[in-house]
Amino acid sequence: MGLVHKGRSAFALGLALGLLSWSILFALALIEGVGSKFFSLSVIAAHVRLLIVIPLLFLCESLLDVRLREFVSLIVRSGVVPKNALPELATKIARTNRWRDHWLPEAICLLATVLLTVIAAQMRLSGRTTGSELGYAISEFRLAGLWYWMVCLPLVRFLLFRWLWRIALWWCFLWRLSRLKLHLAPAHPDGAAGLGYLEVAQTYFTPLVLAISALMSASFAEEISSGISVFEAIYPALAITLILDLVLVLFPPCFFAFKLRACQERGLSDYSVLAARYVGDFDRKWLSAPDQAEPLLGTADLQSLADLSNSVAIVRNMRLVPVSTRLLITVLVAASLPMVPLLLFKYPVAELVQRIVSKLAGL
């Protein structure tokens, strides 16, 4: 569409699209005289899609693109990709950029959006769906419902399809990168043989995780408030949403698991031989036939032995996937946070406060 330009922040565009779509929707609801229903809980998903999901999708794109480019630059500057593999890497980067900027994938996303909208409309007219996608109250509006059906929902769907394509491109690039002959250092301080920055890059998928969870949470809230579903029925869907968010962020680094495992085994072998040589020389110098002419205090041999032990420990504890507990916790928090308000259906605030006060008062 030519709206997003490389090197520019797209968050302002996402915020403008969301606010403009929502403002027109609100204005049409006021014209119809249904402004009071517009802010009911049964249409919460409409507000979340336009005011939260759309800006988050563009925010994620703005933040993530910079980090992905930095990751690729880092593995080149640090020598993880050796010089003889740079031409092949350049080819893969050019291919990925070409498909990212090509008009055909976005045209396919737009076509899929139109087809999905037409199919949903036909199902709606035939009575085979309750119109839950539209919001249980907005589906009863005329002008506002038509704007939401014909413009707002297709916009969100198009952006989601576009993100699916971008995710597929990134996964494909990482898979091809993992097939290169990389120069991995088993004793690298990042604990991932030089690929530790990939975890930082994956962290910037958090706005996308938030957007997905917020969208699902709002949809569940609509179903519960409209009496279509009960709170207990959403547990499987919540579990699937959490798993989807975890796979989105944690699965791509797994492409390097086999290379990291081979690197660790090679490192343990090489450092075991080096440690054996050093410890043998250390024993002969200081234990078997100690050199009385050289003072023990202040010698660098002890520090070198400790440094060697630390290096061996780094190799032994090297991560087989460039993912840490911090990234896992970040994803879980981002995925779970939008789900927390759903607990208010099960445990209303007033009831919770009353129970707490009763317990404190001993009633």
Side-chain angles (χ1 to χ4, degrees), residues 221-241:
E222 280 191 354
E223 294 181 1
I224 297 173
S225 63
S226 301
I228 304 299
S229 179
V230 295
F231 181 83
E232 289 73 13
I234 69 174
Y235 288 140
L238 290 178
I240 293 175
T241 302

Side-chain angles (χ1 to χ4, degrees), residues 71-332:
F71 167 71
V72 177
S73 175
L74 183 80
I75 60 176
V76 172
R77 289 184 284 112
S78 63
V80 172
V81 179
K83 291 184 178 180
N84 57 0
L86 290 179
E88 187 176 359
L89 176 64
T91 301
K92 298 182 186 302
I93 293 174
R95 181 185 305 174
T96 302
N97 288 337
R98 183 169 61 252
W99 278 110
R100 183 198 63 185
D101 300 330
H102 204 279
W103 63 269
L104 182 59
E106 292 197 358
I108 295 176
C109 292
L110 184 59
L111 178 61
T113 300
V114 173
L115 291 176
L116 183 60
T117 301
V118 172
I119 293 173
Q122 291 178 348
M123 294 179 64
R124 169 75 176 164
L125 293 175
S126 63
R128 286 179 290 173
T129 179
T130 59
S132 59
E133 285 187 276
L134 297 173
Y136 293 99
I138 287 186
S139 60
E140 300 175 359
F141 301 167
R142 289 177 299 175
L143 295 177
L146 186 63
W147 171 259
Y148 187 66
W149 173 257
M150 299 301 296
V151 178
C152 299
L153 268 180
L155 174 61
V156 176
R157 289 168 178 162
F158 171 77
L159 294 176
L160 290 176
F161 282 136
R162 182 172 176 269
W163 258 108
L164 286 177
W165 171 245
R166 291 177 63 85
I167 291 171
L169 278 179
W170 176 239
W171 285 24
C172 185
F173 174 77
L174 288 182
W175 171 257
R176 291 171 177 170
L177 178 63
S178 68
R179 301 299 96 190
L180 292 179
K181 189 175 181 180
L182 303 177
H183 178 67
L184 301 176
H188 197 286
D190 67 3
L195 294 173
Y197 194 81
L198 179 58
E199 175 188 350
V200 178
Q202 291 297 114
T203 304
Y204 284 83
F205 277 99
T206 302
L208 181 60
V209 171
L210 277 171
I212 294 174
S213 294
L215 180 58
M216 296 301 296
S217 178
S219 299
F220 294 147
E222 280 191 354
E223 294 181 1
I224 297 173
S225 63
S226 301
I228 304 299
S229 179
V230 295
F231 181 83
E232 289 73 13
I234 69 174
Y235 288 140
L238 290 178
I240 293 175
T241 302
L242 290 176
I243 293 174
L244 175 64
D245 290 333
L246 289 173
V247 169
L248 171 66
V249 180
L250 303 183
F251 181 69
C254 295
F255 296 157
F256 299 92
F258 292 106
K259 280 192 176 295
L260 290 175
R261 177 60 181 174
C263 176
Q264 184 189 43
E265 293 178 352
R266 174 176 54 83
L268 286 174
S269 175
D270 294 342
Y271 275 86
S272 293
V273 174
L274 176 62
R277 289 172 50 195
Y278 187 87
V279 170
D281 293 342
F282 185 89
D283 288 345
R284 283 189 293 272
K285 179 177 181 180
W286 294 105
L287 299 178
S288 301
D291 188 356
Q292 301 297 333
E294 184 176 350
L296 179 61
L297 295 178
T299 180
D301 294 343
L302 292 175
Q303 183 60 47
S304 299
L305 180 62
D307 294 339
L308 181 59
S309 299
N310 291 334
S311 299
V312 174
I314 291 176
V315 176
R316 185 183 299 111
N317 298 323
M318 194 184 83
R319 290 174 287 166
L320 301 183
V321 176
V323 169
S324 68
T325 306
R326 182 177 61 180
L327 178 59
L328 178 61
I329 294 175
T330 300
V331 176
L332 285 176

